[in-house]
Amino acid sequence: QKTVMRRLSGTGGRLERGSTIDLPTDIPDLKFRGIGSACFTLRFSPDGSQLAAGYFDGFLRIFDATRGCQLNTMSLARPSRVDVHNFDSAAVEKANRDGTATLTQHDDAITNLRWMPQGLKSIVATVDTAGTLGLWDLTKGRQPSVLDKVASSSELNALAFSRDGERVLVAGQSRSITVYQVKGGNLVESAVLGSEWSGLGRIAAHRLKVLSLSANPACPDVFVSGGLDKQILVWDLRAGSAPVAVLSGTELSGDALDMSRDGMTLLAGSHRIDRPLQLFDMRLLSPRPTEVRAMSSYEWSGSTSMSQSGGKADDSCMLFSASWDAVDNRIIAAAGERDSLGRVFRRPVAGSEKPLEVLTTVSARGGAIYASAVSEDARYAAFGGTDGSVQFCDLRQL
């Protein structure tokens, strides 16, 4: 297998592009030189033209995915400063030699981000460790600007837009889920879910931190949440403030939930070695049972020769992130720690018992890969590491 890898540079928006390379023998060390802070979250814009990246230093960085250049660097702490940072070459070299140094001023780390859904405004929502939800207007041809921001009392780790873009949901350390209405670019709190006792014998909320939220594209009132308590809760805003069902058998440790385009299947990635990727049939929730288990579970190793896809036959990965495309939900990007790998898979056709097909594998040096993303049209995938590196894969070459 061959794939095209790009290095998206954070030092002045410079793109360094290598020739087509043969995995795994000659993957270069791909980094945002001079940043040094961990990349926690990545998401492609709905049309696949831009890549948004959230960092430990508190900056939101936007890249042009088609031209391979950095567009903007932004922070809620300094919203009027929107630029592409340029660093002194000597300072960059020193940071690279030190390995852990960063040349940017640290703000509250961005833990997650989402673009408003396709066909709506070019808006990115972010959440951070200070508990702030921010809305950025990234309309092309305009200077990026903050539309609104709302502070809460505890760290936020998860967020999702409803498919119609009229709501954004956030959750984190408090274990409850807050629903905001998006009205003219302003955020208006409308509900808090999972904060009240729901009666004997019923699960009321998560018991530990919430790490991932995913909205049902087919129904703006339905979404799922996953936390450190090893359970996924299904919510329906029409049914009140308590969850309507529980999905069991997962061990989430990051943003690793993604709903299929038709709302019938949920992808979940677990922080474990054994069968970390699972699919849940959401149709089993009607009539609603008390608990639903996975209909399919997949090994990390997949089915193809590891020598061709960039890995080893016995490698493994404990996942932090997982997502898939929005065309037919067959291309999956996932990443994590242990062997510090990111991987792109092709899912077998519905009803098949075959394993996942490995399309390509990327590796990190000196740390885990926290973030993974695949564009809605399945053209691109990207992976973000603890060292600030972002590895970009053009899937059209596979």
Side-chain angles (χ1 to χ4, degrees):
Q1 300 266 3
K2 287 178 179 279
T3 185
V4 173
M5 305 292 294
R6 296 182 189 176
R7 174 164 63 198
L8 299 175
S9 172
T11 58
R14 190 174 64 251
L15 169 66
E16 298 177 33
R17 176 169 182 161
S19 59
T20 301
I21 58 176
D22 189 13
L23 295 172
T25 55
D26 53 357
I27 294 180
D29 183 19
L30 308 175
K31 284 189 176 182
F32 287 109
R33 295 296 182 183
I35 292 179
S37 286
C39 177
F40 278 160
T41 178
L42 291 169
R43 287 283 165 168
F44 285 95
S45 60
D47 64 2
S49 66
Q50 295 180 324
L51 177 68
Y55 280 81
F56 181 76
D57 63 6
F59 282 89
L60 171 66
R61 293 176 171 91
I62 307 297
F63 295 86
D64 187 314
T66 56
R67 293 188 293 125
C69 61
Q70 186 178 352
L71 299 175
N72 300 112
T73 302
M74 302 165 288
S75 169
L76 284 175
R78 289 177 292 279
S80 61
R81 182 183 177 188
V82 179
D83 56 16
V84 176
H85 293 308
N86 291 281
F87 301 108
D88 175 77
S89 59
V92 170
E93 290 302 318
K94 182 178 184 302
N96 290 336
R97 288 195 303 271
D98 294 344
T100 58
T102 177
L103 301 181
T104 57
Q105 180 176 348
H106 277 260
D107 297 319
D108 298 304
I110 294 178
T111 54
N112 216 323
L113 63 86
R114 288 290 190 277
W115 292 81
M116 186 172 277
Q118 179 81 43
L120 303 173
K121 296 180 180 179
S122 184
I123 291 175
V124 169
T126 62
V127 291
D128 60 29
T129 53
T132 305
L133 165 63
L135 281 185
W136 287 91
D137 183 356
L138 300 180
T139 302
K140 292 180 181 179
R142 298 182 189 173
Q143 181 84 343
S145 61
V146 177
L147 294 173
D148 199 4
K149 61 179 182 179
V150 178
S152 61
S153 59
S154 60
E155 175 180 306
L156 293 174
N157 304 94
L159 82 160
F161 276 104
S162 60
R163 185 60 189 178
D164 57 15
E166 295 181 359
R167 303 184 188 99
V168 61
L169 306 100
V170 299
Q173 190 71 47
S174 71
R175 308 187 301 268
S176 60
I177 298 167
T178 304
V179 183
Y180 291 93
Q181 297 284 342
V182 182
K183 296 183 177 180
N186 296 317
L187 296 164
V188 180
E189 183 177 323
S190 61
V192 178
L193 310 178
S195 61
E196 298 178 358
W197 184 63
S198 61
L200 292 174
R202 293 188 61 191
I203 293 175
H206 286 283
R207 298 186 297 271
L208 296 172
K209 181 192 295 187
V210 179
L211 299 172
S212 188
L213 287 164
S214 183
N216 186 331
C219 181
D221 293 307
V222 176
F223 65 98
V224 296
S225 61
L228 284 173
D229 53 3
K230 299 184 180 182
Q231 59 182 358
I232 297 172
L233 302 183
V234 182
W235 307 81
D236 188 333
L237 298 178
R238 299 164 297 186
S241 61
V244 297
V246 181
L247 309 181
S248 60
T250 60
E251 299 177 43
L252 266 64
S253 193
D255 188 16
L257 296 177
D258 204 3
M259 194 84 76
S260 65
R261 182 179 182 178
D262 58 11
M264 296 182 182
T265 308
L266 176 69
L267 169 68
S270 287
H271 190 256
R272 65 185 182 213
I273 296 173
D274 182 43
R275 296 180 178 271
L277 288 164
Q278 296 175 287
L279 300 179
F280 291 85
D281 188 345
M282 304 301 288
R283 292 171 296 182
L284 297 178
L285 299 176
S286 181
R288 298 186 180 99
T290 57
E291 186 174 300
V292 174
R293 293 192 173 274
M295 65 175 181
S296 301
S297 298
Y298 297 105
E299 297 289 356
W300 175 258
S301 57
S303 62
T304 63
S305 167
M306 293 296 102
S307 63
Q308 293 181 348
S309 60
K312 301 177 296 183
D314 60 348
D315 62 17
S316 60
C317 196
M318 302 171 71
L319 300 183
F320 287 125
S321 63
S323 60
W324 55 12
D325 70 280
V327 178
D328 55 10
N329 303 115
R330 293 193 61 199
I331 303 299
I332 298 172
E337 62 176 350
R338 195 171 187 270
D339 282 342
S340 299
L341 299 174
R343 189 162 280 173
V344 180
F345 302 91
R346 180 181 286 117
R347 182 167 67 98
V349 295
S352 172
E353 297 183 359
K354 294 181 179 180
L356 297 172
E357 177 189 359
V358 180
L359 298 181
T360 192
T361 298
V362 299
S363 60
R365 298 181 181 179
I369 299 181
Y370 282 141
S372 62
V374 59
S375 61
E376 291 192 7
D377 58 9
R379 288 185 298 165
Y380 307 117
F383 300 90
T386 57
D387 61 354
S389 65
V390 167
Q391 302 189 49
F392 183 91
C393 304
D394 189 340
L395 303 181
R396 296 172 297 180
Q397 307 297 319
L398 301 181

